[in-house]
Amino acid sequence: MIFQLLIMFFPWGIRRRLLQWKYGYKIDATAWIGKSIILARKLEMSPYSRIHDFVFCKKIDRLSMEEDSGIASLTYITGFPTLGCHHFLHIKDRKCELILGRSAGITSRHYVDCNGGVYIGDFSTIAGVRSQILTHSIDVYTNRQDARPVRVGRYCFVGTCCVILPGTRIPDYSILGGGSVLTKQYTEKGCLYGGVPARQLKRLQIEEIPYFHREQHSVD
């Protein structure tokens, strides 16, 4: 962290080369990191991916961003890396990682717990503010920490202030309404899910919703 603080105000071209030299990060020449601290053991940034100012990423195993994906300001990314961690020893194939697909986006002021792995599909958006993606919790029946992945499909929209719990899934072309608490895996794509706990509210006409057909990350 001290090293990254020392180089934070260097020109980006120099800072990119220093991050690659120091940590072995793979950062495309067109990718960009603002005034943020990224401590992931592995960082892979594809063309035109970006991490904006004041993002903090703890020592997770891997942060991977496909082309044109983005993480906005004040997002907090956390997790215990698999190497040297005394938690979750019963999970032999645990992956502490955050993977963003092509043109996927996380807007500002969200909390992302990566202990079980977080996978956000192409063209999906974690929108609004203050949503929590949680992949671990205490299992009171076994009296130990447990972790399970969270998967967000392609072309999904997650509204503001949602809570997404461990082991859940949002299928492709779906919307999770603001303020919802997702507690289970859903498989039927093209639906509006919402509520506490979230349930299927209606089927969507995928062909009539432009968001599901866009070809770039940003929405004007």
Side-chain angles (χ1 to χ4, degrees):
M1 185 184 297
I2 293 173
F3 175 78
Q4 292 197 31
L5 287 171
L6 289 173
I7 69 170
M8 183 170 288
F9 294 96
F10 285 22
W12 167 239
I14 296 174
R15 187 154 54 101
R16 172 178 164 269
R17 284 190 282 271
L18 288 172
L19 290 171
Q20 291 177 311
W21 166 75
K22 177 71 172 177
Y23 303 107
Y25 288 167
K26 298 178 180 179
I27 306 172
D28 186 83
T30 61
W32 175 77
I33 301 176
K35 296 176 178 63
S36 294
I37 301 294
I38 308 299
L39 301 175
R41 294 186 184 277
K42 293 183 179 180
L43 174 64
E44 302 159 349
M45 297 185 69
S46 297
Y48 304 105
S49 58
R50 57 217 170 275
I51 299 173
H52 291 263
D53 293 338
F54 311 122
V55 172
F56 183 81
C57 177
K58 289 180 68 177
K59 286 187 178 180
I60 64 174
D61 291 333
R62 180 184 175 210
L63 172 57
S64 179
M65 303 177 65
E66 292 297 325
E67 182 177 352
D68 196 36
S69 60
I71 301 173
S73 302
L74 298 171
T75 293
Y76 188 84
I77 303 166
T78 184
F80 292 106
T82 54
L83 183 63
C85 177
H86 65 277
H87 297 299
F88 317 113
L89 296 179
H90 63 290
I91 306 174
K92 301 305 181 183
D93 58 349
R94 183 175 74 93
K95 296 179 180 179
C96 182
E97 59 187 11
L98 172 59
I99 311 296
L100 276 73
R102 180 184 171 212
S103 295
I106 300 175
T107 61
S108 64
R109 289 169 285 170
H110 296 294
Y111 177 91
V112 184
D113 157 29
C114 301
N115 282 296
V118 175
Y119 306 92
I120 301 174
D122 298 347
F123 295 96
S124 288
T125 307
I126 310 300
V129 295
R130 296 193 301 276
S131 284
Q132 301 174 54
I133 299 177
L134 305 172
T135 62
H136 90 285
S137 64
I138 296 175
D139 185 336
V140 297
Y141 295 101
T142 60
N143 192 33
R144 65 185 179 191
Q145 298 275 0
D146 198 15
R148 292 177 290 163
V150 164
R151 301 183 187 278
V152 178
R154 300 174 64 251
Y155 286 97
C156 290
F157 180 90
V158 176
T160 192
C161 293
C162 288
V163 178
I164 301 176
L165 295 180
T168 56
R169 178 191 295 267
I170 305 171
D172 298 347
Y173 300 99
S174 294
I175 296 173
L176 182 64
S180 298
V181 178
L182 188 68
T183 62
K184 60 185 291 186
Q185 294 190 24
Y186 285 98
T187 58
E188 185 174 353
K189 68 179 182 180
C191 291
L192 169 63
Y193 298 95
V196 181
R199 64 189 189 281
Q200 181 181 324
L201 299 177
K202 63 180 292 187
R203 293 180 179 175
L204 302 171
Q205 300 299 318
I206 295 175
E207 65 279 359
E208 297 178 2
I209 300 177
Y211 175 88
F212 293 150
H213 305 281
R214 72 195 203 284
E215 297 180 355
Q216 59 185 14
H217 165 78
S218 60
V219 177
D220 295 332

